[in-house]
Amino acid sequence: MRNDKENIIVNKTFDFALEIIDFAENLYESKKFPLANQIFKSGTSIGANVREAQNAESKADFIHKLKIAAKEADETEYWLLLCLKSPHLKSPDEKLLSELKEIILILSKIVSTSKLK
């Protein structure tokens, strides 16, 4: 059953998804459609999987969904780093990358703690 109390990782990933939508929109405007689509999909999927984990059927299901979110976060980091390093692409601001690194750390900690319980 879903718990609607304040949840930091749910909130952070939702806010991150909103920022990713803005960044992807800038890439669309630059006609970088394939990259914009990849960043949009992986960047918004993080929060969707975290949200889905809130309704997990078991602890194993919860961990599995958060691991999927972590994989999406890693993929998003890859695409953002490509944008950062390529002279042909719009660079993400440091805040976006910093927020993603924080999300990755939080997800990693939740998964490792959940496995111990």
Side-chain angles (χ1 to χ4, degrees), residues 16 27 30 32 65 73 79-80 87 96 108 110:
F16 180 78
L27 290 172
S30 301
K32 305 295 184 192
K65 286 176 176 31
W79 296 121
L80 291 176
L96 191 62
S108 176
I110 294 170

Side-chain angles (χ1 to χ4, degrees), residues 15-25 39-44 76 80 96:
D15 292 342
F16 180 78
L18 292 172
E19 292 179 39
I20 281 293
I21 291 168
D22 289 341
F23 184 72
E25 187 61 34
I39 287 175
F40 181 90
K41 287 182 201 176
S42 65
T44 57
T76 303
L80 291 176
L96 191 62

Side-chain angles (χ1 to χ4, degrees), residues 90-102:
K90 177 177 175 22
S91 290
D93 62 19
E94 286 300 318
K95 181 179 176 249
L96 191 62
L97 284 166
S98 174
E99 288 173 2
L100 181 57
K101 288 182 188 303
E102 187 176 341

Side-chain angles (χ1 to χ4, degrees), residues 52-83:
E52 190 175 338
Q54 305 312 299
N55 295 307
E57 295 175 9
S58 65
K59 183 166 78 167
D61 187 37
F62 176 77
I63 292 169
H64 176 71
K65 286 176 176 31
L66 288 183
K67 282 184 171 181
I68 293 171
K71 287 180 179 183
E72 294 293 341
D74 285 339
E75 180 182 341
T76 303
E77 183 179 39
Y78 174 80
W79 296 121
L80 291 176
L81 290 173
L82 274 180
C83 291

